[in-house]
Amino acid sequence: MSFVFDPVTVVALPVAQSKDDFPVRRVYCVGRNYAAHAREMGFDPDRDPPFFFCKPNDPESVVPVPVGKAVSIPYPPLTKNYHYEIELVVAIGKGGKDISVADAAQHIFGYAVGLDMTRRDLQIKMREQGRPWEIGKAFDYSAPVGLIHPIQTTGELNGGDIHLTVNGKTVQQSNVTHLIWSVSEVIANLSTLFELKAGDLIFTGTPDGVGAVVPGDVMVANIDGLTPITVNVK
């Protein structure tokens, strides 16, 4: 098969204790999955079922963060309110649809630390107009992701401290136990909407404390049991 131009390269994320990388197929994100964050965004966390949006899966959007190194991402255009959101990222290793909550963990390849970077002013503008969020969420360099730790070595991650610092100051801190919809419930619900396949990533939601960063800021994201990531804004 030949193409009129070279196809996009698959994004490859490093895997702990492996020479093989994890190829990214799709990137799903869960909106408002921590009660405190839902409230800080002006919503009732007990009213809504989980909802989802997507980010691009190309190399200009998903940013692998090497172990022990920082990556730099550019401040995006057309925003004056560029926000961080630390999230537990679930990597899917076995596909399926209509997956039960009880079976969901069997579909997990592993876990990583991620940042759902957001052009908040553009997201809010689109939300107020009843339009899709893409320009606020699905832009270049919007999804830094760290080392994937296989579930065989971590076990199921149903808890653990999750926190983010900016320039050394803690700005977000919570526990994965505070997810409104657990990882297994998210996988089960998402699989009723899409057939999940190996290579999918699921950003599971962010705690409260989201805020803006500017060029020169350094973000360090950490979740218990996983490798932290350091991301600089340039």
Side-chain angles (χ1 to χ4, degrees):
M1 180 183 295
S2 61
F3 300 96
V4 296
F5 51 83
D6 292 337
V8 174
T9 302
V10 173
V11 176
L13 296 174
V15 177
Q17 301 176 355
S18 175
K19 296 180 180 179
D20 297 326
D21 290 333
F22 182 90
V24 177
R25 190 187 83 98
R26 288 184 181 172
V27 181
Y28 299 101
C29 302
V30 188
R32 298 194 291 268
N33 201 23
Y34 284 82
H37 174 59
R39 293 188 186 99
E40 100 178 322
M41 298 303 291
F43 294 90
D44 180 353
D46 299 321
R47 182 181 301 168
D48 296 327
F51 70 94
F52 305 93
F53 58 93
C54 293
K55 286 179 178 279
N57 65 342
D58 57 73
E60 284 70 41
S61 297
V62 179
V63 184
V65 183
V67 176
K69 297 182 179 180
V71 298
S72 294
I73 57 176
Y75 194 94
L78 300 179
T79 183
K80 295 181 180 179
N81 199 17
Y82 181 43
H83 275 208
Y84 50 77
E85 296 189 5
I86 184 176
E87 308 206 6
L88 172 66
V89 178
V90 177
I92 298 297
K94 183 177 75 171
K97 56 184 178 180
D98 298 321
I99 298 167
S100 70
V101 173
D103 292 338
Q106 300 176 22
H107 295 261
I108 297 173
F109 175 83
Y111 306 92
V113 179
L115 288 172
D116 169 16
M117 300 304 296
T118 303
R119 293 192 283 200
R120 187 72 70 200
D121 44 359
L122 301 186
Q123 179 199 18
I124 291 174
K125 181 179 180 180
M126 292 300 100
R127 188 181 73 196
E128 290 174 345
Q129 295 176 352
R131 295 177 179 177
W133 287 6
E134 270 78 1
I135 63 171
K137 290 286 191 177
F139 52 93
D140 292 348
Y141 309 102
S142 63
V145 181
L147 183 72
I148 296 177
H149 291 257
I151 192 172
Q152 289 87 347
T153 61
T154 64
E156 287 188 60
L157 290 187
N158 295 315
D161 180 73
I162 175 171
H163 71 268
L164 176 75
T165 64
V166 176
N167 302 329
K169 178 182 177 181
T170 297
V171 291
Q172 287 187 278
Q173 185 162 25
S174 186
N175 195 289
V176 175
T177 58
H178 295 155
L179 285 168
I180 296 173
W181 300 92
S182 70
V183 169
S184 290
E185 289 171 330
V186 166
I187 291 171
N189 192 288
L190 185 59
S191 73
T192 67
L193 299 167
F194 305 92
E195 180 176 358
L196 299 180
K197 293 189 177 182
D200 290 343
L201 297 179
I202 304 173
F203 282 65
T204 58
T206 195
D208 61 314
V210 299
V213 285
V214 297
D217 284 346
V218 178
M219 299 173 286
V220 179
N222 200 346
I223 299 173
D224 280 352
L226 303 179
T227 300
I229 61 174
T230 300
V231 180
N232 305 322
V233 182
K234 63 180 181 180

